[in-house]
Amino acid sequence: MYGDDATVRKILTESGDTWAVVGLSSNRQRAAYGVAQVLQRFGKRVVPVHPKAETVHGEQGYASLADIPFDVDVVDVFVNSDLAGAVADEAVAKGARAVWFQLGVVDEEAYARTRAAGVDMVMDRCLAIEIPRLA
């Protein structure tokens, strides 16, 4: 398990309310779309990050984390595991307080790097399951 309940709770309640959701597009069939709605219901600001830079759930999208012109608190990652490590590194460079790899997204080396940088991280957990349970 990559991230115990105490870490999950800390990310959900103490890390801040601006969440960049990497992989979020206007495709309603994708998990990121529904999870972003859950985040909004729990009072989080969702910032879509996707190459198309679409507006989703009323929030302007950006093509990359680096393109976001303001600070983000948490980076929620909905990309394939082979791409996720680079996103975690970008999140650390951006100054995010935490990184969340969604269910099925696993990169143990990225987890170790992110934690070594002093950034909280959860991996292979579903936010939509955890937020009602622990927030």
Side-chain angles (χ1 to χ4, degrees), residues 59-129:
E59 291 285 347
Q60 177 182 336
Y62 298 89
S64 71
L65 288 173
D67 291 338
I68 301 172
F70 48 85
D71 292 339
V72 296
D73 300 312
V74 182
V75 176
D76 189 11
V77 181
F78 281 91
V79 299
N80 293 330
S81 296
D82 58 339
L83 303 174
V87 176
D89 295 340
E90 291 172 28
V92 170
K94 178 83 176 155
R97 295 174 166 180
V99 175
W100 188 297
F101 280 11
Q102 280 296 153
L103 199 61
V105 180
V106 176
D107 182 330
E108 294 179 5
E109 291 177 6
Y111 184 85
R113 285 193 311 271
T114 302
R115 298 292 295 136
V119 176
D120 288 326
M121 184 166 178
V122 171
M123 184 166 69
D124 195 26
R125 302 278 288 262
C126 179
L127 185 90
I129 293 169

Side-chain angles (χ1 to χ4, degrees), residues 7-108:
T7 302
V8 171
R9 186 176 287 111
K10 179 181 177 189
I11 291 171
L12 295 174
T13 62
E14 299 174 26
S15 293
D17 292 331
T18 301
W19 287 58
V21 181
V22 179
L24 176 58
S25 71
S26 61
N27 183 344
R28 295 172 183 261
Q29 308 311 100
R30 305 289 300 184
Y33 190 88
V35 170
Q37 286 180 311
V38 171
L39 279 168
Q40 286 183 323
R41 279 199 301 271
F42 280 84
K44 308 299 184 187
R45 178 183 182 192
V46 171
V47 181
V49 179
H50 190 279
K52 294 180 183 176
E54 299 172 303
T55 297
V56 184
H57 300 311
E59 291 285 347
Q60 177 182 336
Y62 298 89
S64 71
L65 288 173
D67 291 338
I68 301 172
F70 48 85
D71 292 339
V72 296
D73 300 312
V74 182
V75 176
D76 189 11
V77 181
F78 281 91
V79 299
N80 293 330
S81 296
D82 58 339
L83 303 174
V87 176
D89 295 340
E90 291 172 28
V92 170
K94 178 83 176 155
R97 295 174 166 180
V99 175
W100 188 297
F101 280 11
Q102 280 296 153
L103 199 61
V105 180
V106 176
D107 182 330
E108 294 179 5

